[in-house]
Amino acid sequence: MFNKQITSKVFNNFYRYYSSINKVGVIGGGQMGTGIAQVLSQTAGKNVVIFDSNKAMLDKSLTFISSQLKRQIEKGKIQEQEQFEILKRISFSDNMESLKDSDFVIEAIVENPEIKTQLFKQLNSVLKPTTILASNTSSISITKLASNYQVPENVIGMHFMNPVPVMQLVEVIPGLQTSSETNNITLELAKKMGKTTTMSKDMPGFIANRLLMPYINEAAQALFEGLGTIEDIDTTMKLGCNMPMGPLTLADFIGLDTCLSIMNVLHANLGDKYKPCPLLVRYVEAGRFGKKNGKGFYSYNK
């Protein structure tokens, strides 16, 4: 009985510590990391530090958040004072040591298993042992990533949808080692960010991309085979199936390089059913990544 009381007390103190997360680190100043940081500050009211080794990315991140908040002011959604407070809670750094005081860290870098693994190993000498480390991976095994972190029980998947300030869903993916405390704290943080959560088993692609990426890949295959033009394929799915946008437009918005990375993970783990379309591979090899660099299936004026 005495041991149970002590265990309960330790758990309650542990949970209170984590449920009062004050500082959140975001790794990656790209589209996803920037959106995550904005919502953490604006909706959840958290102090956030965005870390990216590329200073130019940090400058773009600040500019993007500022422009988004300015639009909200113009639309009457927030006041100028709110904009000031939101930006005040966000800091930017190209030094990984800036993450050391974070209670919770969300990694949102390139969708590459080797690069993410290297990052997790580096974070072992930076983060506190009590820090929860969440990955925004859209397909890579959380269990595998966690094996490279000092406290695998504190690692979890937190898959945000793009654009983060608009999309309401966050997929939460516990790994094999993830503790129930880490899971509960992550769900609570997502709730404070105004998000709806779903839970997925730690399988390649999780729920969203296990279903979405084969759809996009098949649309690319249809284009590759000449089944229809880009416009015909997208219009058919929009007006015939009531999709908000066509699959090829969506692929451009996500990033063809990201789509290919996810398909490669699915293919490697689940077999030839998920083999990437040759056209998708060819476009990525040609540097056609989609809207983010001006050319994908469609061309965009930058």
Side-chain angles (χ1 to χ4, degrees):
M1 183 67 181
F2 176 75
N3 288 338
K4 287 184 178 181
Q5 288 177 340
I6 292 178
T7 301
S8 176
K9 183 176 181 180
V10 169
F11 171 79
N12 288 335
N13 288 337
F14 180 81
Y15 187 79
R16 277 199 300 271
Y17 171 78
Y18 272 123
S19 62
S20 59
I21 293 166
N22 294 311
K23 183 178 179 180
V24 181
V26 175
I27 303 176
Q31 195 173 38
M32 293 304 296
T34 297
I36 291 168
Q38 180 183 334
V39 176
L40 279 166
S41 175
Q42 183 171 356
T43 306
K46 301 297 181 183
N47 293 312
V48 187
V49 56
I50 302 178
F51 160 72
D52 197 302
S53 58
N54 187 336
K55 290 184 179 181
M57 290 297 291
L58 295 174
D59 292 338
K60 288 181 180 179
S61 180
L62 173 58
T63 299
F64 184 81
I65 295 174
S66 298
S67 66
Q68 291 297 304
L69 295 176
K70 184 177 179 181
R71 288 182 185 179
Q72 292 184 32
I73 292 173
E74 293 170 350
K75 293 180 180 179
K77 293 183 177 180
I78 63 172
Q79 301 297 316
E80 286 191 23
Q81 181 60 31
E82 291 178 85
Q83 178 193 32
F84 173 77
E85 293 298 331
I86 293 166
L87 290 173
K88 185 179 179 181
R89 287 191 290 268
I90 305 174
S91 60
F92 301 82
S93 175
D94 62 352
N95 186 347
M96 189 178 285
E97 288 294 322
S98 63
L99 300 169
K100 66 180 181 179
D101 295 326
S102 300
D103 304 307
F104 198 108
V105 170
I106 301 173
E107 166 271 307
I109 64 171
V110 63
E111 188 70 358
N112 180 294
E114 289 75 25
I115 295 175
K116 286 186 187 291
T117 295
Q118 183 181 5
L119 172 66
F120 273 56
K121 290 179 178 179
Q122 288 177 309
L123 291 172
N124 283 323
S125 61
V126 177
L127 302 183
K128 301 177 294 185
T130 52
T131 301
I132 289 179
L133 177 56
S135 175
N136 183 50
T137 177
S138 50
S139 62
I140 301 168
S141 167
I142 301 301
T143 299
K144 187 174 182 179
L145 290 175
S147 68
N148 298 285
Y149 187 57
Q150 57 186 334
V151 189
E153 294 84 356
N154 291 356
V155 176
I156 195 166
M158 202 175 188
H159 178 210
F160 291 84
M161 308 297 146
N162 189 31
V164 180
V166 176
M167 301 296 282
Q168 292 300 304
L169 183 71
V170 174
E171 271 187 303
V172 175
I173 310 101
L176 180 65
Q177 310 97 316
T178 305
S179 69
S180 58
E181 292 90 347
T182 295
N183 191 64
N184 290 336
I185 293 155
T186 302
L187 291 172
E188 181 63 24
L189 180 61
K191 182 179 178 181
K192 288 180 179 178
M193 295 175 73
K195 302 300 183 182
T196 298
T197 56
T198 55
M199 300 291 296
S200 173
K201 186 177 179 179
D202 187 18
M203 294 285 288
F206 316 130
I207 296 172
N209 284 319
R210 177 71 175 269
L211 303 179
L212 177 63
M213 286 302 150
Y215 163 63
I216 289 175
N217 193 60
E218 191 62 27
Q221 185 68 31
L223 179 64
F224 181 58
E225 294 175 5
L227 183 62
T229 65
I230 294 173
E231 292 79 8
D232 286 338
I233 291 169
D234 274 357
T235 301
T236 296
M237 297 311 295
K238 281 177 65 179
L239 303 185
C241 300
N242 204 27
M243 299 293 189
M245 67 176 71
L248 301 177
T249 299
L250 179 57
D252 274 357
F253 192 81
I254 294 170
L256 302 192
D257 53 335
T258 300
C259 292
L260 179 58
S261 294
I262 297 169
M263 286 305 302
N264 283 333
V265 171
L266 294 175
H267 184 216
N269 289 275
L270 302 174
D272 284 345
K273 176 181 177 181
Y274 300 92
K275 186 176 181 179
C277 169
L279 184 62
L280 178 61
V281 175
R282 188 178 303 169
Y283 275 22
V284 172
E285 289 176 343
R288 297 173 65 159
F289 298 158
K291 192 171 183 181
K292 61 186 172 184
N293 75 339
K295 196 170 183 65
F297 289 110
Y298 294 88
S299 294
Y300 303 87
N301 294 321
K302 300 190 74 174

